[in-house]
Amino acid sequence: MTLLGIWMLMAALQVVVVGGEAERSLSSEQGSLPCTRGFTQKEYIIEVDQELAKGQAIFNVSFMDCGGGKVWFEVGDPSDFRVSEDGTVSTLRPLSLVGKGKAMVMVYARDLQSKQVWKTRVHLHAGSQQVTQQQVKPSDATLTQRVPEILFPWRSVVVRGDGTLRRVKRDWVIPPINVPENSRGQFPEDLVRIRSDRDKNRMLRYSVTGPGADQPPTGIFIINPISGQLSVTKPLDREHISNFHLRAHAVDLNGNQVENPIDIVINVIDQNDNRPEFTHTIFNGSVPEGSKPGSFVMTVTAVDKDDPKTANGMLRYKILSQNPQSPSSNMFTINNKTGDIITVAAGLDREKVTQYTLIIQATDMEGNPTYGLSNTATTIIRITDVNDNPPEFTTDTFFGEVHENRVNVIVANLTVTDKDQPHTQAWSAVYRIIAGDPTGRFSIPTDPTTNEGLLTVVKPIDFELTRSFLLTVEAENEVALARGIHLPRQSTATVSVRILDINESPEFSPNPKPIKLEEGLPAGSLLSTFTAQDPDRFMRQTVRYSKMYDPANWLEIDPVNGRISTIAILDRESPYVKNNLYNVTFMASDNGIPPASGTGTLQMYLMDINDNAPHVFPPEVEMCEKPDPNAINITASDPDLTPNAGPFAFELASRPSDVRRNWTLSRVNGEYAQLRLRIGSLASGIYEVPIMITDSGNLPMSNTSYLRVKVCQCDHHGDCVDMERIIAAGLGTGAIIAILICIIILLVLVLLFVMWMKRRDKERQAKQLLIDPEDDVRDNILKYDEEGGGEEDQDYDLSQLQQPDALESECVKVGIRRLDERPLHHDHQYPLRSAAPHPGDIGDFIHEGLKAADNDPTAPPYDSLLVFDYEGSGSTAGSLSSLHSSSSCGDQDYDYLGDWGPRFRKLADLYGGGDD
């Protein structure tokens, strides 16, 4: 089955049907006969090969169900044949008809609901095989390829109702064609020949369709259209496509179908062309230490792309090596089929070997080392820890000491060793005191990092009662020890703890100390003795007393004997007394080194006496001018308690005399009285009514208090509506002060605003006149220490300030022009300016030039150098620095310069001041 070139022989099956009842659903020739459930034929005659292989399909039967439901097929000889749901009959084992020539098979159909049974008989006849031999290549050795021939189904014989015979078609199953993959034969390689029995009397054309032929992947299978020879054109790969389903067709030259298409299944036979592949390169597993032989560890898995139903894909596993080989070289074994790894030897100890490395081999061909392909993978088996090592103390006895009365203090560190894996439950220790601490004054928590036991004091220890402890401590793990392991002696240790004495604070007893007494005790009264005891019995110390907290400062204590006496009168109505209780704290200090002190509280319960007179309540009431009703209910307020308070007795005072004339007071009960207006109405205002009230104490106390009655105008609801009550109330001192402060703040704000406005005006003026008019460089000629032309710079010809044509001829003098007076900028085309209205009026001339410059859009800004009238280098005026006074022009009047303003004042003083 596994050798290349072996082809399965296909039998040419010729079916002859003898007799039987006509099929009800054949062709239109049978007309409209009624449908009858049952097999289409009573008997079948099938010609088959003499040798039948196991699982080979032989024929199929047809059943007409006529819509009656599904039927179940059975064969009469279930040991040799079986029938499928679609009616295909195949062999269950290899059969041989050699010497017999024929065989008979009964096929039954059973309705599962009605239990009705139909049957048909099949006759198998051994026929001759049509086989052709073909010479093969020498590379294929002695293998012979036998190309079978497939005939389209013959027409079966059907008996008509009148006894005549007619041949009709029927379908049957063609056994699949097996083709080995990776064939190295000459391509195209013939597979099978397809032929119709109609080709004897006409020319036919054959074709195949389906994946591999005319559908992707196309061109793998081709057919000779004339001979019907089906061939494969290239090697096949089963791992890519394991089978092909083709359909063969036979048509005449006109393209008319002459046979029904038949299905052809081509199976690709597997070859061992794939090596096993493990699912992981490295497998990781674990097993507890101390596991018994046969304990499951893990499973390794490999896959093979070859057919798993053949030896090519059947794998076998094997352990090639183990590292380390301790304590045995064969600690594990593997199931060669499933890949399960189990232990086979005892002695797994994590403390000695933490992990094992195994090399696993997987081989196909059922592990055949000669023909099989193999591959390897690495398996790492980690030995997990179990609690097989108990904790052991590093020493038998531990020592520690602690001061008395100290809690949450570590006395000693208990150390153990444990060979199990650190920071696991099998390694973590739990400490327990099993003896020596009946009162539970110690505990031993575990340090999670070092695994040490921290012996800690959790309850105060009194040195005067116990001076030392001897504890027995046991160490265990968080989890129980493995079966068969017991705690050794080293898991128990002794701890000796010594208690150190310290100076303890004196203690008051009882604390607090309650006493009961009446209020009103005079100063100097002895109340009680409050002393403290020093618990240090082995130290001779003196105790002194002092007062720590006494909010009302009523008491004092004797520093030596602790006697408490009053220094002021006790008053139950004091605000420091809450619920009749008054607490005073005292301190007792010894003279130890270092000194220690303790506190105690004296709790005094003050009993009430009648020491407070009653007062009218409420102290103020309101009443309308014409009250209706005109009665007011009043009561009394007394800080004392019952029976030193109510019931009260109310009475109007006899003075002044108009009180009883205007008012009347009647008793309602022991707590209330009713004040009425005796007259019909009363003018608006405030009236003070004296009322004498007496309490019910053992020694009654009386008091006359004044009830303020505000009489006002009322609305129909009886409420005051006028402003007299507000006026009467007046403004308090706080309200007046607040109003004055608001007025002062408002005045200060106004003053600051005025000052700010004045300052802003000054700043605005300063910006406008940043330069003194006398020093304004735009209107004055300034001399900056110029070292010019000597004496000639001091000669000024004022006549040049006038227009040349306005001067007398004798006053014209050509001055010396300085070369540096020429403007540095380029000559500009300035607009023409008209001459001054009056030739001698230089002021009008200047104003006219200033106006022209202001209106000139091409002129530079106001603070730049302006050229009012530059007439070129040929000017007769010369330089301004060469101006001098001409003797011939001394009679000229320059006083009018003073009328031009402050900017020309210097010129007026210089030239208009006379001879000076």
Side-chain angles (χ1 to χ4, degrees), residues 10 47 188 198 227 295 303 337 355 409 460 475 640 851 875 884:
M10 303 299 296
E47 186 173 340
R198 292 268 185 108
S227 63
S295 300
V303 295
K337 292 184 179 180
Q355 71 178 25
V409 177
D640 294 326
K851 181 178 180 181
S875 176
H884 65 280

Side-chain angles (χ1 to χ4, degrees), residues 622-628 684 710-722 725:
E622 291 182 352
M623 178 178 289
C624 298
E625 291 180 342
K626 296 180 180 181
D628 184 20
S684 298
K710 297 181 181 180
V711 180
C712 59
Q713 296 179 1
C714 298
D715 55 12
H716 62 283
H717 296 293
D719 298 327
C720 291
V721 296
D722 59 348
R725 55 190 297 177

Side-chain angles (χ1 to χ4, degrees), residues 50 158 481:
Q50 295 181 359
V158 178
L481 291 171

